[in-house]
């Protein structure tokens, strides 16, 4: 139960919640603390002004953080408006729970009203101390937030179980023992606080003060308050709106606020959410069990490390003592290194134990809190917090994911002492260690780029004596981003394909052996081609495709349509290529476009979802993707016609041209990924590919204007 105490304390005052309210973000605050952290907003930010201008759609409007900053990244606290003279800057204070809040800019006037009844300044806003989400209050002020009856009940049971001496609830620092309780105010007072805050005059003279023990009993025996609707305070919650995820009353339903929503019985939803929370707790309980077992494993590792350390030290001392006096001067140094490794291993494991213990305590506290919540019999109160608790349970369970329950350190000491050197080599005695290879050198005269491929060559320095077992070649992403491995092996030359066109890449190489890796070589800057030069690819084409003219001209031996792809794929930039019709007989309808590498090769281009194409006959054309035909456009092809394909991966569009005129609208949008030029044709058509072409001038000027 003690581990649950964190769940029961207000993040602002650090004490147990008193009259807790639920914010829209599902976090809780004492009602008095919520009032203390209110900030007044300018008139233009009020919900009334927003509704008047037609921009407001909700009773609670979240603030535009571009106009106002309540959260300071520099000190993790809250600030007031920096752009309004009516809200001067106030030094922030830190609550007992570490949350920084601003005190009211002006001290509140003396009043004996409860926080719920005291007036709230016009156009006030509140920021959650835990998630820093800000919202503007409506005319109801703090009364518009539902009260967390379930949390109050859990706190009562927790305090009764501890059976601690009742403390004054108004002492600012160290609370003194309470001497009386006011039954009307429901507050425990010590003598100084009673004289200062509850004088026996005026309206307070009629209040009944009782001893603290009697007050605790009366509070325990008082009937549990029934949760009422925040919009209709005289109505009890009776139904639950599934879309809004909140209890509602019959009057809310009669007013039509939830007319199009799914509404269910409160009791049924109460049982359903209790069942969901219980199921979520089962998974979290399994994680907690694994964590406990993991802690046992870590503690056993500490013992094993200590035992291995003792054994290793004994072996080392025996070897050093067997040598003559010259070895004694070296022995201390070797022992120091072993002790350092020993302490390092212990530190790593103990740190992991500490981290895992804290995490397990938090998990156990959340579990105990959830179990206490499940015991509550207030359906509406439970449903107000059940969604948030279920999310927290799932989130906590995810935090115990892979890697969390894996030791970060082994128990073995990977060191061995070589005691074979002769006495004359005694001063060079050390733990056996190989050396890492020297840094390789890039051979600039053999490094080059072609289209979107780069070839790099390297070698070991001439005077290097330590052999390298392999090399690791790394390139960045062409935009100055992080390096990534593109080759690991023994060869000293590598060609990297599939790079972006018109991009600048940085390359570097390092060598490795069993001991470790060398330093990186100097970085080599590589520039890929601005335009693509490519031919058709016989390796991926259908067997019926016939190639000629260095694979730039294709036709087919079949009357059925067959697909052939270009050798080069595109994933970035703007690319344009053309195809001329060398032969066109019997009015076939060849298709031109782009496709994935695994497109179907024995049907017309565009029949599956791996191709985006335009097919055209002698009179008209259509666009086709996934066998969907769209945008019929007049104008066909004949022998000698030129078809242009423009793939703009910056704007994610594909456009077609016939004889230098755009054919229809933009054919396809939102195209992204890796695409290869593609054509489908039969034996009645022969086409020739033309590449290395710049983007048409009219398209470049239109793109720059856009």
């Amino acid at each position: 139960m003690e581990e649950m105490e964190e769940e029961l304390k207000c993040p602002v005052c650090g004490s147990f919640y008193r009259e807790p309210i639920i914010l829209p973000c599902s976090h809780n605050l004492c009602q008095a603390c919520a009032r203390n952290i209110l900030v007044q907003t300018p008139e233009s930010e009020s919900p009334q002004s927003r509704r008047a201008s037609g921009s407001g759609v909700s009773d609670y409007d979240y603030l535009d953080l571009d106009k106002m900053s309540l959260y300071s990244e520099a000190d993790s606290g809250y600030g007031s408006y920096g752009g309004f003279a009516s809200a001067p800057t106030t030094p922030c204070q830190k609550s007992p729970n570490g949350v920084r809040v601003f005190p009211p800019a002006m001290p509140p006037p003396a009043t004996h009203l409860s926080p719920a009844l005291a007036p709230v300044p016009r156009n006030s806003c509140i920021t959650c101390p835990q998630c820093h989400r800000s919202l503007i209050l409506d005319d109801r002020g703090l009364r518009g937030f539902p009260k967390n009856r379930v949390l109050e009940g859990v706190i009562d049971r927790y305090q009764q179980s501890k059976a601690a001496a009742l403390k004054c609830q108004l002492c600012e620092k160290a609370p003194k023992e309470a001497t009386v309780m006011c039954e009307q105010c429901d507050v425990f007072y010590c003598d100084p606080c009673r004289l200062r805050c509850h004088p026996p005059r005026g309206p307070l003279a009629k209040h009944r003060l009782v001893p603290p023990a009697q007050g605790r009993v009366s509070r325990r025996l008082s009937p549990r308050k029934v949760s009422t609707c925040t919009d209709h305070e005289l109505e009890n919650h009776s139904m639950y709106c599934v879309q809004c995820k909140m209890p509602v009353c019959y009057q809310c339903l009669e007013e039509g606020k939830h007319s199009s929503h799914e509404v269910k019985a409160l009791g049924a939803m109460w049982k359903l959410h209790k069942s969901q929370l219980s199921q979520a707790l089962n998974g979290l309980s399994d994680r907690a069990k694994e964590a406990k077992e993991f802690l046992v494993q870590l503690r056993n590792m500490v013992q094993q490390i200590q035992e291995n350390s003792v054994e290793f030290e004994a072996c080392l001392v025996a070897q050093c003592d067997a040598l003559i006096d010259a070895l004694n001067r070296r022995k201390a140094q070797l022992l120091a290194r072993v002790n350092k490794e020993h302490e390092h291993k212990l530190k790593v494991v103990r740190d992991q134990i500490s981290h895992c213990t804290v995490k397990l305590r938090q998990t156990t506290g959340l579990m105990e809190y959830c179990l206490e919540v499940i015991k509550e019999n207030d359906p509406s109160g439970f449903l107000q917090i059940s969604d948030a608790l279920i999310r927290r349970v799932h989130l906590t369970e995810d935090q115990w994911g892979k890697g969390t329950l894996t030791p970060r350190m082994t128990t073995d000491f990977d060191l061995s002492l070589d005691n074979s050197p002769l006495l004359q080599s005694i001063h060079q005695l050390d733990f056996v260690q190989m050396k890492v290879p020297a840094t390789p050198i890039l051979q600039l005269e053999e490094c080059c780029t072609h289209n979107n491929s780069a070839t790099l060559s390297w070698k070991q320095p001439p005077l290097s004596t330590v052999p390298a077992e392999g090399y690791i070649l790394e390139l960045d992403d062409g935009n100055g981003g992080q390096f990534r491995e593109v080759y690991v092996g023994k060869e000293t030359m590598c060609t990297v394909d599939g790079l972006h066109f018109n991009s600048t890449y940085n390359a570097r190489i390092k060598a490795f052996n069993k001991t470790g890796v060398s330093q990186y070589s100097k970085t080599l800057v590589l520039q890929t081609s601005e335009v693509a030069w490519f031919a058709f690819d016989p390796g991926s084409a259908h067997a019926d495709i016939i190639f000629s003219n260095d694979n730039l001209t294709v036709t087919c031996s079949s009357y059925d349509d067959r697909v052939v792809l270009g050798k080069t794929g595109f994933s970035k930039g703007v690319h344009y290529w053309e195809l001329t019709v060398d032969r066109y007989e019997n009015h076939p309808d060849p298709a031109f476009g782009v496709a994935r590498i695994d497109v179907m090769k024995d049907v017309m281009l565009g029949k599956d979802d791996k191709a985006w194409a335009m097919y055209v006959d002698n009179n008209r054309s259509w666009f086709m993707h996934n066998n969907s035909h769209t945008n019929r456009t007049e104008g066909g092809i004949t022998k000698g016609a030129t078809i242009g394909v423009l793939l703009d991966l910056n704007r994610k569009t594909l456009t077609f041209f016939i004889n230098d005129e755009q054919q229809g609208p933009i054919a396809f949008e939102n195209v992204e990924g890796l695409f290869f030029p593609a054509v489908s044709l039969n034996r009645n058509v022969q086409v020739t590919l033309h590449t290395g072409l710049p983007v048409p001038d009219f398209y470049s000027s239109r793109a720059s204007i856009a």
Side-chain angles (χ1 to χ4, degrees), residues 366-420:
L366 177 59
M367 292 171 56
E368 293 177 352
Y369 172 60
C370 292
L371 291 174
E372 290 299 323
V373 169
I374 291 177
K375 297 177 184 178
E376 279 298 309
N377 295 322
D378 179 2
S380 62
F382 179 85
L383 292 173
Q384 286 172 342
I385 64 173
S386 58
D387 282 315
L389 283 177
I390 293 171
R391 288 195 300 271
R392 285 188 60 192
V393 168
H394 285 304
L395 179 61
T396 304
E397 181 182 359
D398 292 341
Q399 292 175 351
W400 287 105
K402 293 182 178 179
T404 307
L405 303 181
T406 302
R408 300 174 185 169
M409 181 60 65
T410 64
T411 60
D412 297 327
F413 283 75
D414 299 326
L415 299 171
S416 61
L417 187 65
D418 182 8
N419 58 355
S420 62

Side-chain angles (χ1 to χ4, degrees), residues 646-655 666-672 699:
L646 179 60
L647 177 63
D648 188 345
L649 291 171
N650 296 337
R651 303 171 68 181
K652 303 178 182 179
T653 60
L654 179 64
T655 310
I666 293 177
F668 301 100
E669 298 180 335
N670 299 320
V671 291
E672 54 185 337
Y699 183 83

Side-chain angles (χ1 to χ4, degrees), residues 455-485:
T455 299
L456 296 102
S457 176
W458 57 89
K459 64 180 181 180
Q460 280 291 97
L463 301 179
S464 175
T465 59
V466 180
E469 294 181 1
Y471 302 91
I472 301 174
L473 175 63
E474 296 183 355
L475 263 69
D476 66 2
D477 59 359
N479 287 321
Q482 294 183 346
F483 283 85
R484 67 189 190 281
E485 294 183 1

Side-chain angles (χ1 to χ4, degrees), residues 2 164 334 347 450 537 605 661:
E2 292 181 358
L334 297 174
K347 182 179 183 302
H450 175 70
D537 182 18
L605 194 67
E661 296 289 334

Side-chain angles (χ1 to χ4, degrees), residues 258 295 478 633:
H258 308 270
L295 281 174
T633 304

Side-chain angles (χ1 to χ4, degrees), residues 363-556:
T363 300
T364 306
L366 177 59
M367 292 171 56
E368 293 177 352
Y369 172 60
C370 292
L371 291 174
E372 290 299 323
V373 169
I374 291 177
K375 297 177 184 178
E376 279 298 309
N377 295 322
D378 179 2
S380 62
F382 179 85
L383 292 173
Q384 286 172 342
I385 64 173
S386 58
D387 282 315
L389 283 177
I390 293 171
R391 288 195 300 271
R392 285 188 60 192
V393 168
H394 285 304
L395 179 61
T396 304
E397 181 182 359
D398 292 341
Q399 292 175 351
W400 287 105
K402 293 182 178 179
T404 307
L405 303 181
T406 302
R408 300 174 185 169
M409 181 60 65
T410 64
T411 60
D412 297 327
F413 283 75
D414 299 326
L415 299 171
S416 61
L417 187 65
D418 182 8
N419 58 355
S420 62
L422 300 174
L423 289 178
Q424 58 266 30
S425 302
I426 194 77
H427 294 291
Q428 285 76 41
L429 182 65
D430 200 349
F431 291 109
V432 175
Q433 280 188 332
M434 293 179 61
K435 295 182 178 180
V436 298
T439 303
I441 300 175
L442 286 166
Q443 302 188 85
L444 302 182
E445 65 276 8
E446 297 184 18
C447 297
C448 62
T449 60
H450 175 70
N451 269 348
N452 61 337
S453 299
T455 299
L456 296 102
S457 176
W458 57 89
K459 64 180 181 180
Q460 280 291 97
L463 301 179
S464 175
T465 59
V466 180
E469 294 181 1
Y471 302 91
I472 301 174
L473 175 63
E474 296 183 355
L475 263 69
D476 66 2
D477 59 359
N479 287 321
Q482 294 183 346
F483 283 85
R484 67 189 190 281
E485 294 183 1
V486 295
Y487 171 76
V488 179
K490 297 181 179 181
E491 301 296 331
T492 57
M493 179 175 288
C494 175
T495 298
V496 184
D497 299 317
L499 303 177
H500 298 309
F501 283 89
N502 195 22
S503 299
T504 301
Y505 287 87
N506 294 302
R508 62 187 186 184
I509 187 76
K510 61 182 178 180
F512 66 88
N513 59 16
K514 292 181 179 179
T515 303
V517 295
S518 70
Q519 298 293 322
Y520 284 107
S521 67
K522 292 183 179 180
T523 300
L524 177 64
V525 179
L526 303 167
Q527 175 68 45
T528 55
S529 301
E530 292 185 6
V531 295
W533 298 85
F534 60 93
F536 288 114
D537 182 18
S540 62
H542 192 277
D544 294 337
I545 296 294
I546 301 174
F547 295 84
S548 60
N549 189 23
D550 293 331
N551 297 332
L552 293 175
T553 301
V554 292
T555 185
C556 183

